[in-house]
Amino acid sequence: KKMKKEFVNNIFQNIADKYDLMNDLMSFGLHKKWKKEFIEFIDLKNKNNTILDIGCGTGDIALQILDKKNIVNGKIKMFLTDPNIKMINQGIKKLDKKKITWFTSYAENLPIKNEQFDLVTMSFSLRNVENINKTLKEVKRVLKKNGQFLCLEFGKVDNLILNSIYKKYSENFIPILGQTVTGKKDSYEYLINSIKKFPSQNKLTKILKSKNFYDVKYKNLTFGVVAIYSCKKQ
């Protein structure tokens, strides 16, 4: 049995070149709106900020942050990491000429000293890690005191009718779409299962509190299809 790490890495390897297109199609373009809302939650007070995006994929979050000048009027140092070199290469093309440090790493074991970042972001990547606890421990370790952790992830839809529509859509339509666009149906079956297995909004909030993050809050988007989580390191 393959380790989850290798398995997931393989999946993203297979779909890297169609990744952005599939995100558009699967979410009817909503993922861009979700990511825009996500960065509205950024709470940076300093003139100079260091930001780490874990599981950066093709660099969407960095792109949004760097485009949104009024987040900070000072300097930003951006560091982007993903286990998958193919995804990073797509990102480097997309964010051509922007000053970013890219490196490959799994989230559970970051090659970074303690307390380096004012902000750590994860967007649709926490559910793909092999070990949530280890990952959150690492996030906390690399954050400065009172630094912010911001996470965008799929949630659980509360409304029963909407939930059943969403379930049918994700279980039936998304793998077929994946097959059509990328030729990789199984990759998208994995993605749907990873969404199902991921903790609910209340559960993840509890997990974050148990790791001694403070000011833990979440906001549902699109009826809870996704949620934004924000918290700070004590």
Side-chain angles (χ1 to χ4, degrees):
K1 187 173 176 279
K2 261 191 188 171
M3 298 269 287
K4 179 174 174 180
K5 280 180 179 175
E6 290 164 27
F7 177 70
V8 172
N9 207 5
N10 250 349
I11 277 175
F12 285 105
Q13 200 85 352
N14 284 334
I15 59 178
D17 55 340
K18 296 277 195 319
Y19 182 71
D20 288 342
L21 172 64
M22 271 303 290
N23 283 347
D24 278 342
L25 295 172
M26 282 192 309
S27 71
F28 303 106
L30 277 172
H31 78 105
K32 290 197 171 98
K33 183 178 163 287
W34 294 334
K35 286 166 182 165
K36 265 204 178 72
E37 285 219 35
F38 176 63
I39 66 159
E40 296 291 329
F41 271 73
I42 291 177
D43 177 20
L44 293 173
K45 304 277 187 278
N46 310 326
K47 280 278 176 259
N48 299 314
N49 289 287
T50 48
I51 300 174
L52 172 68
D53 186 32
I54 300 174
C56 64
T58 60
D60 269 5
I61 293 301
L63 196 57
Q64 296 255 13
I65 290 173
L66 294 170
D67 282 351
K68 193 173 161 63
K69 295 287 182 280
N70 62 343
I71 282 184
V72 270
N73 303 319
K75 294 193 190 80
I76 289 183
K77 276 194 192 145
M78 285 254 22
F79 293 79
L80 271 63
T81 183
D82 196 281
N84 198 304
I85 192 74
K86 263 194 171 174
M87 291 287 245
I88 284 181
N89 287 336
Q90 292 289 332
I92 289 169
K93 272 187 245 170
K94 188 160 85 179
L95 278 80
D96 188 29
K97 308 269 188 303
K98 293 196 190 283
K99 279 195 179 147
I100 292 172
T101 306
W102 303 79
F103 62 99
T104 54
S105 172
Y106 286 106
E108 292 87 348
N109 196 2
L110 298 165
I112 290 167
K113 291 181 188 148
N114 296 352
E115 308 202 342
Q116 297 295 307
F117 294 99
D118 301 286
L119 171 69
V120 173
T121 56
M122 288 186 84
S123 152
F124 300 122
S125 54
L126 189 58
R127 71 175 197 289
N128 291 319
V129 303
E130 188 162 70
N131 187 318
I132 284 191
N133 287 319
K134 268 189 188 161
T135 298
L136 292 176
K137 212 171 156 183
E138 278 293 83
V139 167
K140 205 166 163 205
R141 183 181 70 74
V142 302
L143 268 177
K144 294 177 188 173
K145 195 170 163 37
N146 300 316
Q148 185 186 19
F149 174 48
L150 204 50
C151 174
L152 176 63
E153 200 41 274
F154 285 98
K156 304 277 182 266
V157 178
D158 264 349
N159 181 304
L160 286 175
I161 293 167
L162 287 172
N163 188 42
S164 72
I165 294 168
Y166 175 57
K167 211 167 159 257
K168 280 199 177 73
Y169 163 73
S170 57
E171 285 172 13
N172 302 317
F173 179 67
I174 288 181
I176 292 165
L177 186 65
Q179 175 66 43
T180 312
V181 176
T182 68
K184 300 276 188 280
K185 188 177 180 187
D186 51 348
S187 296
Y188 284 90
E189 280 169 348
Y190 157 76
L191 289 175
I192 297 311
N193 284 328
S194 72
I195 293 169
K196 276 194 212 159
K197 286 182 189 150
F198 194 71
S200 69
Q201 286 86 323
N202 289 334
K203 181 108 187 276
L204 189 58
T205 303
K206 280 192 183 120
I207 292 170
L208 289 166
K209 284 178 179 165
S210 76
K211 299 279 172 273
N212 284 335
F213 285 101
Y214 74 96
D215 202 7
V216 181
K217 46 184 182 269
Y218 75 87
K219 180 187 178 181
N220 279 337
L221 306 178
T222 316
F223 312 106
V225 169
V226 297
I228 296 167
Y229 300 85
S230 170
C231 56
K232 295 196 170 164
K233 170 179 171 169
Q234 277 184 357

